[in-house]
């Protein structure tokens, strides 16, 4: 489904991804772990098509198309979904309007009929119940005044409604208490299926207690330096990322102050 | 700065042209001729202010002063407005073409008893004395468009609502300004007198065709405990120059609300002055506009809190694209006696291009001590993070921009009823966004 070869990307002239290779097949759940500043969020945003990130080399094939040629909206319509690390607040646009616009944009792209307000409400109420989101949030402006947990649940709700083929969760566990973490994980597990792939980007192992990955990759200084099964996550949890730095010449790059969003 | 340099000298011929063009009707009272004469004298004496004049700092009148607008428009051709998408209306309608009442395009039968809508020229022939104090009172000094309106006084409407009449519908006023056969100006004066405890809602729409100057003035007298609301919208006036002025005087316990709405007008100066001339009044002034190309929208509001216990709220939001310019100058004057005044003002501008410009000037003068006055102004751009967020959910970039602009202006119009009208107004403001989505470098 997704095949990434030697992907390099920069932000404002600083190279963040320095040759990432990754292959994701239908039905698989991959976890990408790594310390702050290793390039996790850059990776997620490059796949979603954020234009501040310049791809300088490499190739990304997604379902037999050149993903890098597609605009962010085309990628979404082709089934890629990024759950944001920092969901954006949009005053004046209600959650319902936002989601219906998104859903209909995707349906239009796929040559399907738009959903009307009635069917949409039916669909979204069902999904909200599943994910445990208060229905009141439907008529509130997108993420305006939402708590951290509500924002992340809202991302999962969008994911459930938009029904992606490839979902990327960027630090969706950050800032969540244990209950919220569990509902978010349940939401993800519910959409797990044989024809869908999921990439979970996370700093901590704890989300992976609830979403069991098929593969775990360690991203360090812009490269995937280690890949393995779920037991790799446990090792990282126990030993931290420190062992990766040994033998690395550019330790400072792994502890750069702020991970670009 | 000398007084002379604050004026444009080109306007001196205007008075002569208007003297020839305006015909005194034998049925009109003598004082009407006096008002017209004084108007001519004022335009002759003061002409048009230059940009050195404080009140006209952001808006040049040079093109108007030199343009062909000293001649009056002929009767016009209604056929030039067949492509206009009029607002939805299901109540009484009054249509004016170049200031003249069009009976065939008006429907006043559904007006309840106690509300009278007449051409001003008819009223001036009948119970003219009722109008005299209103028309004389508002004549003032150097204002060029007031002077022109006085010099040509006669076209427009006289709207009266008797005390205690609560009209739940909406009176629809359509002002068509046609410069189809020859460019020129139309000068209109609408006088509205609303009695004690009465209620009136007006929707005014203005449409211009070809190169015109539309000079439209409204005078409102809002009686005790009366409630008056107006929505005014300016359709596509790509070649139009508009002056739209309102003076409102509110008595005890009354409410006045105004929604200004415009998109696609080459040049508009919107002036509104409200005097809270009684206790416990409330004034609501809201505005939402979109400008692109080299369009120019200049808003000047003045709220005069002369009595205690009144509240006012102003919210203006402009969306500026291309090389357009938006101006908001809002004055709040709280007189010494106006204790416990609560006045709020906010003006927000959204720039969609780097060449667009917003000029904001809040002007608060407060002479009472127990008051609450707040003002705020913002000038910003569309949130790129929000655009990416929408795009990452499948919404294309032009539509994402349109949705965000819609969200920005919608809030200003949220109290406009009915919903169909509100949605139409929001659509009018955002329909140009998708076409020119990419901001200029």
């Amino acid at each position: 489904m997704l095949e990434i070869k030697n992907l390099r990307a920069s932000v404002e002239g600083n190279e963040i991804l320095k040759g990432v290779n990754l292959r994701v097949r239908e039905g698989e759940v991959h976890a990408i772990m790594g310390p702050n500043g290793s390039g996790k969020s850059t990776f997620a945003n490059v796949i979603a098509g954020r234009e501040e990130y310049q791809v300088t080399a490499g190739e990304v094939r997604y379902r037999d198309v050149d993903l890098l040629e597609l605009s962010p909206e085309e990628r979404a319509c082709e089934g890629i979904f990024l759950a944001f690390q920092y969901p954006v607040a949009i005053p004046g646009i209600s959650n319902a309007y936002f989601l219906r616009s998104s859903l209909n944009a995707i349906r239009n792209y796929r040559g399907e009929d738009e959903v009307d307000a009635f069917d949409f409400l039916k669909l979204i109420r069902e999904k909200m119940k599943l994910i445990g989101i208060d229905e009141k949030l439907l008529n509130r402006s997108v993420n305006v005044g939402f708590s951290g947990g509500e924002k992340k649940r809202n991302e999962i709700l969008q994911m459930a409604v938009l029904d992606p083929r490839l979902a990327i969760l960027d630090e969706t566990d950050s800032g969540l208490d244990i209950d919220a973490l569990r509902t978010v994980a349940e939401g993800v597990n519910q959409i797990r299926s044989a024809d869908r792939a999921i990439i979970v980007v996370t700093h901590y192992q704890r989300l992976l207690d609830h979403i069991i990955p098929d593969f775990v990759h360690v991203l360090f200084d812009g490269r995937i330096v280690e890949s393995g099964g779920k037991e790799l996550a446990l090792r990282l949890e126990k030993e931290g990322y420190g062992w990766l730095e040994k033998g690395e010449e550019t330790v400072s790059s792994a502890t750069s102050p702020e991970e670009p969003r | 700065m000398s007084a002379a340099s604050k004026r444009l000298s080109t306007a001196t011929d205007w008075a002569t042209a208007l003297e020839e063009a305006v015909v005194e009707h034998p049925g009109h009272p003598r004082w009407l001729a006096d008002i017209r004469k004084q108007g001519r004298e004022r335009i002759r004496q003061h002409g048009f202010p230059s940009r050195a004049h404080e009140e006209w700092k952001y808006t040049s009148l040079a093109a108007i002063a030199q343009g062909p607008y000293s001649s009056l428009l002929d009767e016009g051709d209604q056929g030039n407005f067949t492509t206009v998408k009029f607002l939805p209306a299901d109540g009484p309608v009054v249509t004016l073409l170049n200031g003249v009442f069009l009976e065939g395009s008006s429907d006043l039968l559904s007006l309840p008893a106690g509300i009278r809508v007449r051409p001003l020229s008819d009223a001036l022939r009948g119970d003219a004395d009722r109008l005299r104090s209103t028309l004389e009172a508002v004549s003032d000094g150097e204002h060029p468009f007031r002077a022109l309106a006085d010099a040509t006084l006669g076209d427009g409407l006289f709207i009266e609502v008797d005390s205690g009449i609560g009209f739940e519908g909406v009176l629809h006023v359509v002002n068509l300004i046609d410069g189809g056969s020859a460019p020129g100006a139309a000068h209109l004066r609408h006088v509205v007198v609303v009695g004690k405890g009465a209620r009136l809602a007006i929707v005014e729409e203005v449409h211009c065709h070809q190169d015109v100057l539309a000079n439209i003035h409204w005078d409102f007298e809002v009686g005790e405990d009366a409630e008056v609301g107006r929505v005014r919208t300016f359709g596509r006036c790509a070649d139009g120059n508009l002056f739209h002025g309102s003076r409102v005087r509110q008595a005890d316990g009354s409410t006045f609300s105004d929604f200004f709405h415009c998109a696609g007008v080459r040049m508009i100066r919107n002036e509104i002055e409200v005097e809270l001339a009684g206790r416990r009044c409330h004034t609501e002034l809201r505005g939402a506009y979109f400008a692109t190309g080299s369009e120019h929208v200049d808003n000047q509001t003045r709220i005069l809190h002369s009595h205690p216990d009144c509240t006012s709220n102003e919210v203006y939001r402009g969306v500026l694209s291309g090389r357009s310019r938006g101006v908001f100058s809002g004055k709040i004057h709280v007189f010494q006696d106006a204790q416990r005044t609560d006045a709020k003002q906010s003006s927000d501008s959204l720039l969609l291009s780097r060449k667009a410009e917003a000029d904001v000037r809040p002007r608060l003068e407060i002479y009472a001590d127990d008051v609450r006055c707040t003002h705020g102004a913002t000038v910003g751009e569309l949130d790129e993070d929000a655009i990416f967020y929408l795009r990452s959910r499948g919404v294309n970039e032009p539509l994402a921009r349109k949705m965000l602009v819609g969200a920005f202006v919608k809030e200003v119009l949220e109290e406009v009823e009915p919903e169909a009208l509100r949605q139409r107004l929001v659509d009018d403001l955002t329909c140009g966004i998708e076409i020119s989505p990419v901001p200029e470098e």
Side-chain angles (χ1 to χ4, degrees):
Chain A
M1 174 179 271
L2 183 73
E3 179 134 19
I4 299 169
K5 283 183 190 157
N6 188 35
L7 179 67
R8 289 174 171 262
S10 309
V11 183
E12 291 169 357
N14 298 321
E15 186 166 63
I16 311 286
L17 298 183
K18 301 173 181 175
V20 172
N21 294 290
L22 182 68
R23 173 186 271 181
V24 179
R25 280 176 291 253
E26 276 86 356
E28 293 177 351
V29 174
H30 289 244
I32 294 183
M33 302 185 69
N36 290 333
S38 60
K40 301 191 299 292
S41 270
T42 299
F43 171 79
N45 279 286
V46 164
I47 301 304
R50 186 141 201 159
E51 279 149 0
E52 291 97 297
Y53 298 84
Q54 287 103 36
V55 174
T56 51
E59 196 189 354
V60 181
R61 307 275 314 165
Y62 167 75
R63 300 178 79 238
D64 289 329
V65 296
D66 180 357
L67 187 72
L68 301 177
E69 286 296 306
L70 302 182
S71 66
E73 52 268 37
E74 286 169 329
R75 296 180 197 202
C77 292
E78 288 287 344
I80 291 181
F81 180 91
L82 171 66
F84 280 47
Q85 181 178 8
Y86 303 104
V88 183
I90 311 181
I93 293 185
S94 74
N95 235 356
Y97 177 45
F98 177 89
L99 255 178
R100 191 147 82 92
S101 303
S102 304
L103 182 60
N104 283 333
I106 292 174
R107 292 180 69 93
N108 274 327
Y109 181 89
R110 296 179 182 168
E112 297 163 359
D113 287 341
E114 294 196 353
V115 286
D116 62 29
F118 182 80
D119 287 340
F120 174 74
L121 267 181
K122 214 175 117 189
L123 169 75
I124 198 165
R125 287 211 170 108
E126 179 194 311
K127 301 287 185 191
M128 286 182 112
K129 213 168 173 181
L130 232 54
I131 294 155
I133 295 188
D134 191 336
E135 262 191 42
K136 275 184 246 159
L137 295 189
L138 209 49
N139 293 318
R140 295 235 321 252
S141 289
V142 178
N143 293 321
V144 175
F146 285 28
S147 71
E150 283 172 336
K151 282 182 190 171
K152 296 297 172 83
R153 279 182 218 228
N154 203 29
E155 294 293 289
I156 300 303
L157 172 69
Q158 292 172 20
M159 182 176 75
V161 171
L162 300 181
D163 194 23
R165 293 188 181 107
L166 171 65
I168 304 165
L169 282 68
D170 186 10
E171 306 268 4
T172 299
D173 50 336
S174 67
L176 291 189
D177 62 31
I178 190 68
D179 289 333
L181 189 74
R182 205 169 281 142
T183 36
V184 163
E186 276 167 21
V188 174
N189 288 330
Q190 274 158 9
I191 70 153
R192 245 177 126 151
S193 73
D195 54 2
R196 200 189 319 266
I198 297 168
I199 300 174
V200 181
V201 174
T202 181
H203 184 87
Y204 300 106
Q205 189 268 339
R206 60 175 195 158
L207 181 63
L208 305 179
D209 286 342
H210 304 279
I211 305 171
I212 313 291
D214 301 307
F215 300 95
V216 174
H217 310 277
V218 180
L219 190 66
F220 185 80
D221 191 23
R223 286 184 199 93
I224 288 178
V225 294
E226 188 91 26
S227 292
K230 59 180 188 235
E231 65 287 344
L232 181 57
L234 296 170
R235 183 180 167 199
L236 289 168
E237 175 75 357
K238 212 159 72 190
E239 301 180 18
Y241 292 104
W243 58 276
L244 291 164
E245 293 177 20
K246 289 180 192 119
E248 283 281 341
E249 286 169 19
T250 51
V251 174
S252 61
S253 67
T255 53
S256 63
E258 189 66 24
E259 194 166 343
R261 295 188 202 171
Chain B
M1 182 101 39
S2 74
S5 67
K6 289 189 178 179
R7 290 180 211 135
L8 299 165
S9 56
T10 45
T12 43
D13 295 338
W14 280 61
T16 316
L18 291 176
E19 189 163 12
E20 285 165 17
V22 178
V23 185
E24 298 298 339
H25 191 282
H28 283 163
R30 179 71 219 155
W31 54 261
L32 178 63
D34 290 341
I35 290 178
R36 287 170 169 175
K37 191 174 170 212
Q38 284 161 17
R40 290 197 300 271
E41 290 310 314
R42 272 152 46 212
I43 197 74
R44 185 173 280 137
Q45 193 185 343
H46 304 298
F48 290 92
S50 74
R51 291 182 58 185
H53 196 291
E54 186 65 14
E55 303 286 323
W56 295 91
K57 197 173 162 186
Y58 301 109
T59 298
S60 168
L61 295 179
I64 288 177
Q66 288 157 3
Y69 314 111
S70 62
S71 43
L72 297 180
L73 291 170
D74 57 21
E75 71 273 16
D77 179 2
Q78 205 181 352
N80 288 328
F81 296 91
T82 47
T83 57
V84 169
K85 210 175 134 206
F86 290 99
L87 295 179
D90 58 355
V93 180
V94 54
T95 303
L96 301 168
L97 176 58
N98 292 352
V100 178
F101 177 62
L102 292 183
E103 198 158 10
S105 302
S106 301
D107 171 17
L108 296 170
L109 291 174
S110 51
L111 275 178
I115 300 185
R116 289 173 298 284
V117 178
R118 294 181 275 172
L120 188 64
S121 54
D122 288 1
L124 284 166
R125 276 195 289 273
D127 50 356
D129 284 345
R130 232 191 125 161
L131 281 161
R132 184 174 181 174
S133 60
T134 307
L135 294 175
E136 283 181 342
V138 293
S139 299
D140 75 7
E142 298 184 14
H143 198 295
F145 295 102
R146 276 273 158 199
L148 290 172
D150 280 352
T152 55
L153 185 58
D155 287 336
L157 295 171
F158 181 36
I159 300 169
E160 291 172 284
V161 184
D162 290 343
S163 294
I165 299 294
F167 178 44
E168 292 303 317
V170 174
L171 172 64
H172 204 91
V173 177
V174 181
N175 283 318
L176 304 176
I177 312 293
D178 179 31
S181 51
H187 306 276
L188 279 72
R189 183 79 157 264
H190 302 308
V191 178
V192 184
V193 179
V194 179
K196 185 174 174 177
R199 184 188 177 280
L200 178 68
I202 293 173
V203 171
E204 178 196 17
E205 57 183 306
V206 180
H207 299 282
C208 300
H209 177 251
Q210 305 287 43
D211 188 11
V212 292
L213 168 64
N215 181 27
I216 302 173
H217 295 257
W218 287 79
D219 294 296
F220 287 91
E221 280 184 28
V222 183
E224 266 177 55
D225 299 316
E227 197 182 313
V228 176
R230 177 181 60 169
V231 174
R232 49 191 169 123
T233 175
F234 303 84
R236 307 268 146 201
C237 298
D239 301 309
N241 301 288
L242 281 152
F243 178 88
H244 199 273
S246 302
R247 286 202 173 182
V248 184
R249 208 178 137 81
Q250 289 183 241
D252 281 348
S254 64
T255 302
F256 178 83
S257 65
D258 178 57
F259 292 86
F260 165 81
H261 173 275
C262 109
V265 178
R266 183 171 71 183
M267 198 293 278
I268 182 166
R269 166 89 164 194
N270 159 37
E271 282 187 16
I272 180 163
E273 177 182 296
V274 183
E275 184 185 357
L276 297 138
R279 290 170 170 260
R280 303 177 327 281
C281 299
H282 178 69
T283 306
E284 189 80 26
L285 301 184
R286 288 173 175 256
Y289 56 96
F290 172 74
T292 187
S294 54
E295 291 167 2
H296 187 99
V297 181
D298 178 355
N299 304 289
Q300 305 277 327
T301 69
R302 283 159 67 90
I303 298 185
L304 308 174
H305 279 272
S306 57
H307 283 67
D309 301 308
C310 293
T311 54
S312 64
N313 186 35
E314 276 179 271
V315 184
Y316 265 71
R317 287 194 173 178
V319 180
L320 302 166
S321 180
R323 289 173 289 115
S324 67
R325 190 167 193 180
V327 180
F328 177 83
S329 172
K331 181 163 185 171
I332 298 174
H333 189 118
V334 182
F335 291 82
Q336 202 172 356
D337 290 341
Q339 298 296 358
R340 296 170 302 283
T341 288
D342 188 341
K344 291 194 212 61
Q345 178 190 91
S346 76
S347 158
D348 302 300
S349 310
L350 189 58
L351 303 182
L352 299 185
S353 117
R354 288 192 188 150
K355 287 179 185 151
E357 184 177 327
D359 299 292
V360 183
R361 230 162 39 128
R363 294 189 290 169
L364 273 57
E365 280 184 46
I366 301 165
Y367 299 100
D369 45 28
D370 182 13
V371 300
R372 226 177 64 158
C373 286
T374 58
H375 71 91
T378 64
V379 179
E381 294 168 20
L382 280 181
D383 180 357
E384 290 296 328
D385 287 338
I387 292 171
F388 178 68
Y389 195 42
L390 278 158
R391 295 179 72 190
S392 78
R393 298 301 181 250
V395 176
N396 66 46
E397 186 174 1
L399 181 58
R401 289 182 183 276
K402 184 176 167 165
M403 284 172 70
L404 293 172
V405 170
F408 176 73
V409 291
K410 201 181 67 183
E411 209 182 306
V412 181
L413 298 167
E414 66 192 358
E415 280 165 37
V416 171
E417 297 285 350
E419 201 197 330
L421 173 63
R422 177 171 65 238
Q423 192 53 49
R424 166 66 196 277
L425 295 179
V426 172
D427 290 347
D428 282 355
L429 289 169
T430 56
C431 67
I433 310 287
E434 271 184 297
I435 305 160
S436 54
V438 183
E440 290 158 34
E441 284 307 313

